[in-house]
Amino acid sequence: MEKLCFAYRRHIASTGIACVLATSTPLFVADLSAQESVVQQELNRRISNARKAHDLLKQGDISYQKADYKSAVTHYSQAFELLPPGAMTREMRDVTADRYATAATERARALAKMGDYDKAKNLLKTVLKPQVAPAHMGALKLLGQIDSPIRYNHALTPTHVKDVVKVGRLLREAQGFHSLGQYDRAHIVYEGVLRIDPYNKAARRGMEEIAAAKSDYYRASKDHNRASMLAEVDKMWEIPVNNTPSSIPVGPDLTGNDSLAPDIREKLAGIVVDVISLDNASLEEALDFVRLQSRQGDAPDAGGEKVGANVILNLGDPNNDRVKLIRSSRVTLKARALPLNVILDYITDQTHTQWSTDG
């Protein structure tokens, strides 16, 4: 019995569980059986915890390789808590503590970049505790660097970091609307950027590009509207054609006097001007040039006189705005060897008028 108790004491000591033996023999046998049950349960629990810790270490390694340091810290810390101090678990506990501290260092560095300095320092101090990894060089070095104003801007806050991320997303969204031609929606998003960051130059440049695009559209719209209005004005000068058939037969004059209109047009078409040089001339000056050339190029009549063409300017009421616009227009024509009827066509085209013959 004494040998059995001694062996049991050694077994209890190896598991770290205290053993209290009774003085009487019957009670000793009963207590020994109960203690063996407790010891077995404790052994099973520790074995189960060791397996769980091993699985958590694997999960932590996977998270660390993916740069998911937050999850890695969680897995490593849970594995470390499942391993109690002792000779049997010392090696595995040291490995877990080192990985825990390494992952915590990377996580703290990410928190410091986001401006969450207090949370980063608390995490580093946790792994630098005497029972975890007090001599971890990476954690010690980073803890000293966080307090340095040269390495980290302590004015940076997590709120500012979130605003920076949000501003970047809004700028990309506004550029997308701009490329789709949705200028108003892009302008609204740029205004949202300026409400977060009042001095954001990218938003102002984007709004400038939108204003330029709108200005280009409005300019094209103005040109289109101007051309349409001028076309309407030109249309007012059109002589409508009578759709009702005339009862008067078309042909020579029954009185024996043929119309002079074909003769005048033929005369103008037969007079060719060698050199035409009209430079910013008024309508009256251009018609004077036509009168002069018609007399010079006309054939002499029976009396030996060159009559030419009698060109009459008839614009109507001189106080009319349309008449004033016509009189203010200018004629520029530089050409050679053109008949007078073609010259008249050029003159009337440039002054928005028309010419006709009357017998």
Side-chain angles (χ1 to χ4, degrees):
M1 183 63 68
E2 289 179 356
K3 292 182 179 180
L4 180 61
C5 183
F6 177 75
Y8 183 72
R9 285 177 179 272
R10 291 183 61 186
H11 180 71
I12 295 299
S14 65
T15 57
I17 301 175
C19 177
V20 179
L21 299 179
T23 56
S24 60
T25 301
L27 290 176
F28 173 76
V29 175
D31 289 344
L32 181 60
S33 177
Q35 289 293 339
E36 288 178 349
S37 177
V38 172
V39 169
Q40 188 63 40
Q41 291 178 5
E42 180 63 20
L43 287 174
N44 293 337
R45 186 183 68 82
R46 292 194 179 190
I47 292 173
S48 177
N49 287 345
R51 290 174 179 173
K52 292 179 180 178
H54 187 266
D55 293 337
L56 287 170
L57 278 176
K58 288 184 177 180
Q59 296 178 16
D61 292 341
I62 294 174
S63 299
Y64 188 88
Q65 292 173 1
K66 293 181 178 179
D68 186 5
Y69 303 121
K70 183 178 180 181
S71 299
V73 168
T74 302
H75 294 144
Y76 288 145
S77 64
Q78 292 175 355
F80 185 80
E81 293 295 331
L82 289 174
L83 297 173
M88 300 294 293
T89 59
R90 180 180 301 170
E91 183 178 356
M92 189 174 182
R93 184 178 172 86
D94 291 343
V95 172
T96 305
D98 182 72
R99 295 182 185 181
Y100 179 21
T102 302
T105 302
E106 297 300 327
R107 174 60 179 165
R109 183 175 286 109
L111 291 172
K113 290 181 180 180
M114 295 174 61
D116 202 346
Y117 301 112
D118 292 337
K119 193 173 181 179
K121 290 192 292 185
N122 291 335
L123 181 58
L124 292 173
K125 290 177 181 179
T126 299
V127 297
L128 289 173
K129 288 180 179 180
Q131 63 271 24
V132 185
H136 193 275
M137 295 302 299
L140 289 171
K141 183 178 179 180
L142 181 59
L143 185 61
Q145 291 176 349
I146 288 178
D147 292 330
S148 174
I150 298 177
R151 290 183 176 271
Y152 292 96
N153 182 6
H154 288 268
L156 184 67
T157 62
T159 303
H160 178 78
V161 175
K162 291 180 181 179
D163 288 343
V164 170
V165 174
K166 186 176 181 180
V167 164
R169 179 179 59 81
L170 290 175
L171 286 175
R172 291 190 294 272
E173 183 180 353
Q175 291 172 359
F177 284 134
H178 186 186
S179 62
L180 294 176
Q182 301 182 22
Y183 302 131
D184 294 336
R185 296 186 66 179
H187 191 274
I188 293 173
V189 177
Y190 280 131
E191 287 180 341
V193 172
L194 292 176
R195 280 193 289 269
I196 299 174
D197 183 8
Y199 302 104
N200 191 283
K201 293 189 293 184
R204 287 296 182 184
R205 292 298 183 189
M207 296 172 76
E208 178 187 4
E209 292 176 359
I210 290 175
K214 285 186 175 181
S215 178
D216 186 57
Y217 165 75
Y218 293 142
R219 191 180 301 110
S221 178
K222 181 194 71 175
D223 294 340
H224 168 249
N225 194 26
R226 178 175 176 272
S228 298
M229 295 179 69
L230 288 175
E232 290 296 328
V233 173
D234 293 338
K235 184 179 179 180
M236 295 175 63
W237 288 87
E238 179 186 10
I239 299 177
V241 177
N242 187 6
N243 294 326
T244 305
S246 175
S247 59
I248 303 177
V250 178
D253 191 354
L254 297 179
T255 60
N257 297 324
D258 291 340
S259 173
L260 298 179
D263 293 338
I264 296 176
R265 286 185 177 273
E266 290 176 2
K267 179 188 292 187
L268 294 176
I271 300 175
V272 179
V273 182
D274 295 333
V275 179
I276 303 98
S277 179
L278 296 175
D279 187 10
N280 200 27
S282 64
L283 179 58
E284 289 82 355
E285 293 173 344
L287 295 180
D288 288 341
F289 175 79
V290 172
R291 294 187 188 98
L292 177 61
Q293 295 298 327
S294 67
R295 286 196 297 270
Q296 292 179 354
D298 193 9
D301 57 6
E305 184 180 358
K306 295 182 178 181
V307 179
N310 185 17
V311 182
I312 300 174
L313 179 61
N314 183 14
L315 298 178
D317 186 5
N319 296 323
N320 185 276
D321 293 337
R322 177 65 181 174
V323 174
K324 292 179 180 179
L325 179 62
I326 293 173
R327 288 187 178 277
S328 63
S329 59
R330 291 292 181 266
V331 178
T332 299
L333 180 60
K334 304 286 185 178
R336 290 180 178 273
L338 288 181
L340 280 179
N341 63 331
V342 176
I343 296 174
L344 277 174
D345 289 338
Y346 279 116
I347 294 173
T348 53
D349 285 343
Q350 294 186 28
T351 57
H352 301 288
T353 57
Q354 60 183 4
W355 68 277
S356 62
T357 57
D358 188 357

